[in-house]
Amino acid sequence: MTTATTEDFHFLQQFLLDRSAIVLSEEKHYLVETRLLPVVQRAGVGSIGELVRAIRRGDRDVEVAVVDAMTTNETSWFRDAAPFEALRKIVLPEVIAANVVRRKLSIWSAACSTGQELYSVAMILDAEFSEVASWKLDLHGTDLSTTVVDKARSGHFTALEINRGLPASHLVRYFRHEGGHYVIADALRSKVRFELFNLAKPWPPMQDYDIILLRNVLIYFDVATKAKVLEEAKAHLRPSGYLLLGTAESPRGLVEGFHSMPAGGTTIYRKEGA
Amino acid sequence: MNDARSTGVGLTCAGLPAGALDDFLTAETIAEIAQSFWDAFLPDDAVLLPGSTLPATEEVRGRIDIGGSWSGSVELSCSLAAARRIAAAMFSLSSDALEVSDVHDAVGELVNVVGGNIKSILPAPTSLSVPTVGDEAGEWRFAATLEHEVLLDWRGEPVVVRVWRAAGPATS
Amino acid sequence: MHALVVDDSRAMRSLLRQILGRLGIDVAEAADGRAAIDAVVAGPLPDVALVDWHMPVMDGLELVTEMRRHKEWRHMAIMMVTTESEHENMVRALLAGANEYLIKPFSADAVLEKLSLLGLAPEATPASDHQGGEYLP
């Protein structure tokens, strides 16, 4: 029941290469089987073949479980230095200045995974932008997977996760150690909310944001879906709001109406018009 | 050689009452901690499965003592084959190039990391000894109480983590 | 770039040497705090010292305290690499002058990211010039 057929293995090879740039050589057949056995058991299916069929059907929870099982690649805090530098130096100062009368700030992490990106933003605001402490903040994280949204909400992280790019000063300030896990401080957790959201489906009526982080998710969509998601994101940005994409992603050729600005080692996109 | 010895950590019974360890440390947590060592340091070969049988012989044993709010020892034992494979990865050497001291040092660091992470779960203050590695169970075990025994299987090789509560000030 | 790895475990020193070596970093080793002080005195000054906590002779916290007494070593970053993760102890190490903290066990990626936080990543961003860095508490 635990053996992967050659066809299953080749599918998983391609899937993991596409999804996570993981290269699995043929001799890793054994590794696939031992690592996926617990996933097979937890998913309540009979075999690796059934897992493969679930992925082919687009079952995102199974996808996430398989990628998690095959990688030790924890999401980093402050993932990629450049976008967070752009947030600190350009985006946040500008957006905060523009909202000084409204005293409101809304930020959406639209593919939030286990929450590191949004919690990182919350830490930056707390540590470096004390002027917004009394504002109405809406820090919103969404993802397609129940598993990752639940984990993001719980605010519990392992030592391996906490090691990934989190400055020591933030570790001691924003986390407490509890039962082998590092738990995000209540003061920070109370500022964020996490919900399920499928970017590829029609979007329900929703509020507008000052900043949308849409990072490392467009790469999984076909061109038509990319264009649709970017149009929707633009429609839900406030005038002169900012869109931050992953390093390999760009709105070029997909959507009009963004002004691209080089910022450190990255490019950020400001919605045109005031 | 190099058998478990007294390490200078005060083994007193102050702090947690007997039986209270479970509130902090479960078998599942111990397995997670062991798994994290493999994930980090042996990422190409990182799967620990639940084990079902004790090894016929526990050929390499590491031990580290915790003192403070809870006093006792974390013991990790495994087959020589498993110990050699861990050492080969940590030293980046082929298995036949390893000395006995390499194998003992690698298992010492393994029990140090597992024991250190267990220590960090217990209520402060706690202290940690230097690990010791040998190939036989020490007499200290007769006076200690077994709190947890977690059997793991690494590619068919047994790995066992045990957590022992010290009996009292006389134990060392 | 030069790193000094201070750990009483040869296996851990070897592992860190491999990870740092792959990043093109020269590695010196010391097995306890006293040997680490001797190594820094003998020179050259490392860009970063990776320091275990629980060691014989002189432990990591004493070592950090001692290293920060030497003002001429202020350009050397110090990163604790240890299982010691009691909140109070992490704060003590940072107050004593450690600049970063890596909890064992750690992945190779985590080492690189922590070096980046210190402005010491081998392929560092142009803005961060570690030559000018001062790591005094």
Side-chain angles (χ1 to χ4, degrees):
Chain A
M1 106 179 187
T2 62
T3 50
T5 64
T6 309
E7 197 192 340
D8 292 339
F9 182 75
H10 286 154
F11 173 84
L12 289 166
Q13 257 182 329
Q14 192 60 44
F15 167 71
L16 289 161
L17 181 65
D18 294 343
R19 274 295 302 268
S20 307
I22 302 163
V23 180
L24 278 182
S25 54
E26 295 293 331
E27 61 268 27
K28 292 287 171 67
H29 213 107
Y30 159 82
L31 190 66
V32 169
E33 287 168 7
T34 47
R35 289 206 169 190
L36 292 187
L37 174 62
V39 182
V40 168
Q41 288 168 344
R42 273 198 300 273
V45 298
S47 66
I48 289 174
E50 282 187 44
L51 280 187
V52 166
R53 281 190 286 284
I55 296 171
R56 288 184 192 274
R57 278 201 309 274
D59 185 326
R60 164 91 165 142
D61 280 330
V62 171
E63 282 183 26
V64 169
V66 168
V67 171
D68 278 357
M70 294 306 301
T71 57
T72 48
N73 231 350
E74 311 80 27
T75 311
S76 298
W77 305 85
F78 303 93
R79 182 176 172 186
D80 308 328
F84 280 97
E85 273 309 288
L87 270 177
R88 280 194 177 93
K89 299 272 172 58
I90 301 169
V91 178
L92 284 170
E94 209 174 283
V95 168
I96 288 170
N99 282 288
V100 80
V101 177
R102 294 172 71 233
R103 297 173 63 80
K104 283 184 190 173
L105 184 63
S106 52
I107 301 175
W108 180 24
S109 169
C112 69
S113 186
T114 39
Q116 282 90 333
E117 180 176 80
L118 191 62
Y119 284 125
S120 298
V121 171
M123 286 182 231
I124 291 178
L125 286 172
D126 184 79
E128 300 172 39
F129 296 90
S130 55
E131 63 268 37
V132 303
S134 58
W135 288 21
K136 184 175 179 338
L137 294 182
D138 183 21
L139 306 181
H140 192 191
T142 63
D143 199 281
L144 196 51
S145 154
T146 327
T147 317
V148 300
V149 167
D150 285 348
K151 182 160 157 68
R153 272 186 198 141
S154 80
H156 281 58
F157 298 92
T158 66
L160 285 175
E161 289 168 324
I162 221 72
N163 270 334
R164 299 299 309 274
L166 180 71
S169 53
H170 287 30
L171 169 57
V172 296
R173 185 164 171 184
Y174 296 117
F175 292 84
R176 64 174 193 278
H177 199 163
E178 190 180 289
H181 287 95
Y182 294 81
V183 185
I184 199 120
D186 294 338
L188 218 56
R189 187 160 41 172
S190 64
K191 288 182 185 163
V192 303
R193 61 192 175 101
F194 292 99
E195 287 172 342
L196 280 173
F197 191 93
N198 187 341
L199 292 165
K201 296 250 173 76
W203 291 19
M206 53 191 281
Q207 63 168 108
D208 292 348
Y209 295 91
D210 295 297
I211 301 166
I212 298 178
L213 300 151
L214 185 67
R215 304 183 59 227
N216 306 305
V217 63
L218 289 177
I219 43 176
Y220 302 124
F221 298 143
D222 59 32
V223 172
T225 311
K226 276 181 199 175
K228 189 180 83 65
V229 169
L230 284 167
E231 276 298 346
E232 288 278 23
K234 189 180 74 176
H236 289 90
L237 266 180
R238 288 171 44 78
S240 302
Y242 278 92
L243 175 69
L244 273 70
L245 300 175
T247 318
E249 299 163 333
S250 158
R252 188 182 298 268
L254 295 165
V255 64
E256 299 292 319
F258 280 106
H259 176 59
S260 63
M261 303 165 59
T266 190
T267 306
I268 55 179
Y269 302 94
R270 191 173 62 200
K271 184 174 172 177
E272 286 175 359
Chain B
M1 63 177 270
N2 234 359
D3 204 354
R5 58 185 156 80
S6 172
T7 51
V9 171
L11 293 174
T12 60
C13 268
L16 289 185
L21 184 66
D22 279 357
D23 294 346
F24 298 91
L25 186 66
T26 61
E28 192 185 8
T29 305
I30 295 168
E32 270 176 31
I33 288 171
Q35 179 64 59
S36 72
F37 182 95
W38 265 259
D39 283 340
F41 297 143
L42 301 142
D44 293 334
D45 208 358
V47 182
L48 290 180
L49 297 172
S52 51
T53 50
L54 281 171
T57 54
E58 296 174 41
E59 292 157 302
V60 184
R61 295 169 189 275
R63 172 195 168 198
I64 196 160
D65 298 335
I66 298 170
S69 68
W70 179 87
S71 293
S73 303
V74 175
E75 183 189 43
L76 186 143
S77 64
C78 60
S79 65
L80 184 58
R84 293 185 72 85
R85 209 185 288 151
I86 294 162
M90 294 188 81
F91 285 101
S92 190
L93 287 172
S94 70
S95 190
D96 49 1
L98 291 168
E99 309 274 346
V100 173
S101 62
D102 298 334
V103 176
H104 281 195
D105 193 288
V107 173
E109 186 59 13
L110 170 54
V111 76
N112 178 49
V113 171
V114 173
N117 277 276
I118 288 175
K119 166 197 178 291
S120 75
I121 291 173
L122 303 172
T126 47
S127 56
L128 195 68
S129 76
V130 170
T132 54
V133 181
D135 44 20
E136 283 178 43
E139 289 193 12
W140 60 273
R141 288 173 48 155
F142 292 117
T145 310
L146 185 61
E147 292 259 9
H148 285 290
E149 181 175 63
V150 180
L151 309 183
L152 300 164
D153 174 298
W154 182 36
R155 300 200 63 174
E157 295 293 336
V159 176
V160 186
V161 184
R162 293 189 183 89
V163 177
W164 300 85
R165 180 161 47 86
T171 311
S172 71
Chain C
M1 198 194 299
H2 296 274
L4 174 65
V5 174
V6 191
D7 197 305
D8 55 331
S9 161
R10 282 193 302 116
M12 184 51 60
R13 297 202 302 272
S14 166
L15 200 72
L16 280 166
R17 176 185 282 279
Q18 292 166 50
I19 292 170
L20 296 167
R22 281 199 293 273
L23 298 171
I25 299 170
D26 292 330
V27 178
E29 297 180 15
D32 61 64
R34 180 50 55 200
I37 295 287
D38 293 345
V40 180
V41 167
L45 184 70
D47 297 281
V48 59
L50 292 89
V51 176
D52 186 21
W53 189 300
H54 301 284
M55 294 183 289
V57 187
M58 179 194 279
D59 72 22
L61 184 63
E62 292 172 277
L63 172 61
V64 173
T65 308
E66 179 65 27
M67 281 177 156
R68 288 308 183 215
R69 286 209 186 100
H70 292 258
K71 300 294 178 216
E72 70 277 19
W73 296 354
R74 64 187 175 278
H75 294 291
M76 175 180 66
I78 302 177
M79 175 152 77
M80 301 303 293
V81 183
T82 172
T83 60
E84 181 54 66
S85 50
E86 266 175 40
H87 189 269
E88 194 180 314
N89 283 339
M90 289 198 282
V91 172
R92 280 166 75 201
L94 295 175
L95 288 176
N99 309 100
E100 261 309 332
Y101 212 103
L102 187 62
I103 299 164
K104 292 178 183 173
F106 50 83
S107 61
D109 289 338
V111 177
L112 175 60
E113 287 163 353
K114 287 284 180 178
L115 290 174
S116 299
L117 290 174
L118 294 167
L120 290 171
E123 62 271 55
T125 47
S128 57
D129 175 17
H130 72 269
Q131 297 302 328
E134 289 195 9
Y135 295 102
L136 282 175

